[in-house]
Amino acid sequence: MKGNAKKINVIFSKSNIVILCSFLLPVLLLHYAFYKMGFYPFGEKTVLIMDLKGEYLEYFASLRYIFKDNSVFYSWSRSMGGEMLGLIGFYIASPLSFITLLFPVSELPAAMYWLTILKTGLCGLTLAIFLEFGFDKRKGNIAVVAFATFYALMSYNIAYGMCLMWLDGVIFLPLVLLGVEKIFEGRKGLLYMLSITGLFICNYYTAYMAGIFTAMYFVVKLISVIKFNKEEIKQSLLNALRLIGRFAFNTILAAGISMPLILPVAKDLLSGKLQHDNYCP
């Protein structure tokens, strides 16, 4: 009985409740805003604007044909046929993209609606995880929910909701930074490697920008822990070299793991391709 009670206490701990609320509050607020403004399925407006309507919607629709007439490597739906992996890596590599398969093609506007809301909520969730577990502060602070909501509903996410794959970078960035914090705590860097690998795979375009920010974050953090007094500077610099080595090793490993998807994207970009046909009936 004591063991079960302990498990229940862990599940309903303040940290877990804060993290859950950091996901639910942005979801409910955005859902309410869409409802009040008359977005589909509550009205005639949709989230399908600009590139999301004219280009990306077709790629999401193409997912349901990959395992039928086409494959992840080659598609006859492209101009005169062509490789498909680069297009997938550029636009729809995020595992969340496959949620759209639960909707018929005629209901893709609803799929884009729920995918936008889900990704926005996940932005709040990952920032809450970063704030809860990245620092030795008092856990379960309600202020975390507020900052996570601000992060999830910031203008970047609202303005670039038309480029759904760009939101993956916002989701992964707090996990990447948490991984950096764990490296400074003496961990080997598994969380950092896995999170930045996911970032590279989901969308290279936001990955390189998040990568630059992460490198800057690492340098500032490194400078802050180096002790420049005569007694400790030698040991401090040796420790800094170990941290740099661990950070660099995990970054190179993550890049190597994601190369099978990044290279086809680079090939398509350099050849000026990434053409598309209309997949929607």
Side-chain angles (χ1 to χ4, degrees):
M1 292 293 292
K2 288 184 178 180
N4 291 333
K6 188 175 181 180
K7 290 179 181 178
I8 292 174
N9 288 335
V10 170
I11 292 173
F12 292 100
S13 66
K14 287 184 178 179
S15 288
N16 288 342
I17 292 173
V18 162
I19 291 169
L20 179 61
C21 291
S22 297
F23 171 79
L24 291 177
L25 186 57
V27 164
L28 293 174
L29 288 174
L30 187 59
H31 185 68
Y32 179 74
F34 282 157
Y35 167 73
K36 292 297 289 184
M37 291 188 291
F39 276 75
Y40 183 87
F42 308 108
E44 296 181 357
K45 297 179 182 178
T46 74
V47 295
L48 303 180
I49 60 171
M50 301 177 70
D51 288 350
L52 183 57
K53 178 181 180 181
E55 188 174 0
Y56 307 148
L57 184 65
E58 298 176 5
Y59 302 140
F60 284 106
S62 74
L63 277 174
R64 63 202 70 239
Y65 302 112
I66 286 176
F67 302 106
K68 293 181 180 180
D69 302 329
N70 304 304
S71 75
V72 295
F73 301 107
Y74 196 87
S75 171
W76 289 105
S77 299
R78 296 185 62 177
S79 303
M80 301 294 290
E83 65 90 16
M84 190 71 174
L85 199 55
L87 186 146
I88 291 173
F90 196 94
Y91 294 108
I92 50 178
S94 171
L96 296 176
S97 299
F98 289 90
I99 291 175
T100 61
L101 296 178
L102 301 175
F103 297 79
V105 174
S106 60
E107 290 297 319
L108 275 179
M112 298 298 102
Y113 175 92
W114 289 112
L115 192 57
T116 300
I117 287 181
L118 175 61
K119 287 193 175 188
T120 301
L122 289 175
C123 291
L125 183 144
T126 56
L127 186 76
I129 291 173
F130 172 68
L131 295 176
E132 280 292 301
F133 300 107
F135 307 96
D136 294 326
K137 300 286 186 179
R138 184 166 61 87
K139 304 294 184 182
N141 195 325
I142 194 66
V144 170
V145 180
F147 282 105
T149 303
F150 300 155
Y151 180 75
L153 297 177
M154 63 182 168
S155 59
Y156 173 91
N157 282 1
I158 303 304
Y160 290 106
M162 63 178 180
C163 300
L164 276 176
M165 66 280 189
W166 289 7
L167 300 189
D168 290 273
V170 184
I171 295 172
F172 274 101
L173 182 58
L175 298 179
V176 173
L177 299 183
L178 180 58
V180 173
E181 290 291 335
K182 295 304 177 184
I183 288 176
F184 278 91
E185 290 177 7
R187 307 288 180 87
K188 292 183 178 180
L190 180 62
L191 174 61
Y192 169 72
M193 188 273 292
L194 291 177
S195 56
I196 202 165
T197 297
L199 181 59
F200 284 148
I201 289 174
C202 285
N203 186 247
Y204 91 95
Y205 190 75
T206 51
Y208 87 84
M209 290 183 276
I212 293 172
F213 177 82
T214 302
M216 294 168 62
Y217 183 93
F218 178 84
V219 170
V220 172
K221 181 79 176 179
L222 188 67
I223 293 172
S224 70
V225 300
I226 294 177
K227 297 178 174 60
F228 292 96
N229 56 72
K230 293 181 179 180
E231 294 78 14
E232 297 181 277
I233 189 168
K234 183 177 180 180
Q235 184 60 39
S236 185
L237 290 175
L238 288 174
N239 183 53
L241 288 175
R242 282 194 292 269
L243 292 171
I244 292 171
R246 193 167 294 171
F247 178 78
F249 172 78
N250 283 287
T251 301
I252 293 170
L253 183 59
I257 293 172
S258 55
M259 273 301 160
L261 199 58
I262 291 177
L263 288 177
V265 172
K267 176 180 176 295
D268 267 9
L269 290 174
L270 291 173
S271 60
K273 292 184 179 179
L274 287 174
Q275 301 169 17
H276 65 283
D277 286 334
N278 194 339
Y279 287 96
C280 297

